[in-house]
Amino acid sequence: MNFSRWRNNSQQLKGKRNVEEYQNVVLQKVEATFKPNPPNFPAAFFFGDSSFDTGNNKYILTFAKANHFPYGRDFPGDPQISDKDVLKGANFASAGSGFDDVTSAVTNTIPIARQLELFKVYLGRLRKVAGEEEASRIVGSGLVLISAGTNDFLINFYDLPSRRLEFSIGEYQDFVLKKVESALKELYKLGGRLFAVAGLPPIGCIPLQITLHHSFDRTCVEEENADSVAYNVKLQKLLLKLQQTLPGSKFVYMNSYDALSEILNNPSKYGKPLNLHAVSTVGFEETKRGCCGTGLTEVGPLCNFLTPTCQDASSFVFYDAVHPSEKVYRLATDYILEHVIPT
């Protein structure tokens, strides 16, 4: 995968949310999605939105769920957590969430700030299982992955413009990045040292955004894409500053923008089928709509067991009107593990 600028541009807590408020979030083990020779991290910790959420939202009252058909049709049910699994890390991500608390207030999901509180609860269990010294080693040499921010701009600025009444786009970017900085510093304070942080994708090429703004010609919303680029430049500068000021830290920028743009601009290059069930072997054939329903607006509850789906999801860049297909995630994951993740 020729994402040459990806790097160079610089499950879940079972039984508790916060002891009182998050009582049904499940701590699951980190799934073995790594290649045969993965980087040697003892654990991985995931924070963010639907790009990382493996099912946390199933246990809270929100419409931002994917625990229904046709989502997850190729995967088994929830794994159970054991003390051994706790040693491998945990996933705290919540679909529909963001760095801005207002984002999660709209969707009733778990914002990044609350995810950090869950992490503190997890650390308490880890210390009981592994002991103080080993727990510190696991967290300090484990990999912290964060992917969030897209919902902040979609929900609060572009589609439900509550924040647009308060900020210009540049001001809101700076506001969100202050939240990013605060979250990363808190994770560092809690023992994290190795961080991989994703930038924004080309938001204007998400099928839902195309439908809302360019429904006739089905072209990307270039203004929103330009905003994503500007935000990502600022994010990279922030990560460099943090690495220079936080002793022993290492920050890697995951260039989601160029990664997805590469696929959208050269869809026929990626023809390797995911599995024996895949029909297409010629690459992506559809880049402007999702596999679910019409592919124009269906996402979350609008993509359900009554909604028809395409014959071969691996020929679609997007599974629904917002989220990439499994094939895109697999391509991206392989590239991240090989070229981006810090060692």
Side-chain angles (χ1 to χ4, degrees):
M1 204 170 198
N2 187 23
F3 298 159
S4 60
R5 292 187 292 167
W6 186 314
R7 178 173 58 176
N8 294 335
N9 277 344
S10 114
Q11 158 196 37
Q12 311 167 19
L13 198 56
K14 188 175 183 180
K16 296 184 180 179
R17 254 177 150 192
N18 190 315
V19 176
E20 301 179 43
E21 297 180 63
Y22 295 113
Q23 297 186 350
N24 294 314
V25 180
V26 174
L27 175 62
Q28 299 174 346
K29 64 183 180 182
V30 174
E31 296 297 335
T33 56
F34 293 142
K35 296 168 125 181
N37 297 305
N40 188 25
F41 301 110
F45 308 97
F46 297 87
F47 301 86
D49 54 28
S50 57
S51 54
F52 282 159
D53 184 359
T54 54
N56 285 322
N57 281 12
K58 176 180 177 180
Y59 302 94
I60 60 177
L61 185 62
T62 177
F63 66 83
K65 295 184 180 184
N67 62 327
H68 55 267
F69 191 86
Y71 294 108
R73 61 189 181 186
D74 300 321
F75 294 90
D78 295 336
Q80 295 299 309
I81 185 66
S82 67
D83 286 347
K84 183 178 180 181
D85 295 325
V86 169
L87 302 176
K88 300 176 182 179
N91 187 316
F92 305 92
S94 176
S97 69
F99 291 104
D100 186 348
D101 289 349
V102 172
T103 303
S104 286
V106 173
T107 57
N108 197 36
T109 54
I110 309 171
I112 296 295
R114 289 294 191 183
Q115 292 178 33
L116 298 185
E117 293 301 314
L118 287 173
F119 182 56
K120 293 176 184 178
V121 178
Y122 161 84
L123 290 177
R125 181 174 178 184
L126 179 63
R127 293 186 185 104
K128 289 180 181 178
V129 173
E132 289 283 346
E133 184 175 345
E134 179 63 5
S136 296
R137 185 195 70 82
I138 290 172
V139 175
S141 55
L143 180 62
V144 179
L145 301 101
I146 302 178
S147 179
T150 300
N151 291 321
D152 293 318
F153 292 93
L154 285 177
I155 295 173
N156 286 328
F157 204 87
Y158 297 135
D159 301 343
L160 298 174
S162 59
R163 288 299 196 184
R164 200 161 65 198
L165 300 176
E166 304 176 59
F167 303 105
S168 67
I169 182 60
E171 291 170 341
Y172 188 56
Q173 290 170 353
D174 295 340
F175 175 84
V176 172
L177 286 165
K178 284 290 185 183
K179 300 284 187 179
V180 176
E181 181 176 12
S182 175
L184 292 173
K185 286 182 175 179
E186 179 67 13
L187 286 166
Y188 178 86
K189 181 180 177 182
L190 293 171
R193 292 296 180 268
L194 303 176
F195 301 88
V197 184
L200 296 180
I203 290 178
C205 291
I206 293 173
L208 180 61
Q209 296 308 100
I210 293 176
T211 299
L212 292 175
H213 302 285
H214 291 169
S215 60
F216 294 106
D217 58 7
R218 301 299 298 170
T219 58
C220 295
V221 186
E222 293 305 329
E223 182 180 358
E224 294 181 2
N225 284 350
D227 293 341
S228 294
V229 171
Y231 173 91
N232 289 340
V233 169
K234 294 178 180 180
L235 173 61
Q236 291 170 73
K237 291 179 180 178
L238 170 62
L239 297 181
L240 179 59
K241 183 188 79 170
L242 290 173
Q243 183 164 296
Q244 292 172 338
T245 57
L246 299 177
S249 67
K250 186 167 186 178
F251 290 85
V252 169
Y253 169 69
M254 296 191 292
N255 193 336
S256 304
Y257 189 98
D258 283 354
L260 186 54
S261 294
E262 160 69 14
I263 294 174
L264 293 172
N265 293 332
N266 302 285
S268 62
K269 287 173 57 175
Y270 305 101
K272 182 181 178 182
L274 284 176
N275 52 54
L276 296 177
H277 301 292
V279 176
S280 171
T281 59
V282 297
F284 293 107
E285 299 173 355
E286 178 56 63
T287 64
K288 299 295 179 64
R289 64 185 182 91
C291 167
C292 186
T294 65
L296 306 179
T297 59
E298 292 88 347
V299 61
L302 298 180
C303 178
N304 55 60
F305 69 96
L306 296 175
T307 314
T309 56
C310 62
Q311 182 180 11
D312 178 16
S314 69
S315 66
F316 280 65
V317 173
F318 293 92
Y319 187 73
D320 60 23
V322 172
H323 303 97
S325 63
E326 179 190 353
K327 182 176 177 181
V328 171
Y329 280 118
R330 285 184 182 269
L331 289 168
T333 299
D334 284 348
Y335 187 86
I336 290 170
L337 292 171
E338 185 173 351
H339 298 287
V340 180
I341 295 302
T343 57

